[in-house]
């Protein structure tokens, strides 16, 4: 879709771009990619803020809170990636008990 938008000679409407970034954020959230989800939510916030000149403070605060929450969901990288292969964080407690 991104390539099609780049090929298009017409300027895309901000409302359509805001809808695109809203759906893109949902795709990234469902796929577990929090970094790109946060970027898409932020871009959606920017487009809606620029598009609607008379946003209520409550609406702006709600959208800004969503951007903040999306940014806080991004996991921090490990300081010692060489140790990550020894740490088992993906297994459930039931799997650990069955292995014992």
């Amino acid at each position: 879709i991104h390539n099609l938008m780049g090929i298009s000679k017409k300027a895309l409407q901000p409302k359509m771009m805001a809808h695109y970034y809203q759906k893109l954020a949902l795709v990234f959230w469902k796929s577990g990619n929090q970094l790109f989800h946060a970027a898409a939510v932020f871009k959606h916030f920017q487009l809606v803020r620029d598009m609607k000149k008379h946003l209520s403070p409550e609406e702006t605060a709600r959208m800004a809170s969503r951007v903040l929450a999306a940014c806080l969901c991004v996991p921090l990288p490990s300081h010692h990636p060489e140790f990550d292969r020894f740490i088992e964080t993906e297994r459930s407690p039931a799997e650990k008990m069955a292995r014992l």
Side-chain angles (χ1 to χ4, degrees):
I1 293 175
H2 177 73
N3 288 338
L4 292 174
M5 290 186 328
I7 292 172
S8 175
K9 296 193 187 308
K10 280 184 6 182
L12 299 172
Q13 298 173 355
K15 184 176 183 178
M16 186 172 64
M17 290 301 297
H19 187 70
Y20 168 75
Y21 278 106
Q22 185 179 19
K23 295 296 181 184
L24 189 64
L26 181 64
V27 168
F28 286 135
W29 180 257
K30 294 286 183 176
S31 68
N33 196 332
Q34 289 88 6
L35 179 64
F36 289 123
H37 171 260
V41 169
F42 178 64
K43 186 67 175 175
H44 176 258
F45 172 70
Q46 286 180 323
L47 286 169
V48 170
R49 189 184 60 196
D50 292 342
M51 188 173 55
K52 295 181 180 178
K53 296 298 179 189
H54 302 291
L55 271 178
S56 68
E58 293 84 21
E59 182 73 18
T60 305
R62 185 185 64 79
M63 290 175 56
S65 296
R66 185 172 176 222
V67 171
L68 178 64
C71 291
L72 291 175
C73 286
V74 177
L76 296 175
S78 174
H79 292 291
H80 303 287
E82 63 275 4
F83 297 138
D84 286 346
R85 60 188 169 130
F86 298 115
I87 300 173
E88 298 176 7
T89 58
E90 297 298 321
R91 295 193 178 173
S92 69
E95 288 176 340
K96 288 179 184 177
M97 290 302 290
R99 204 169 122 212
L100 285 177

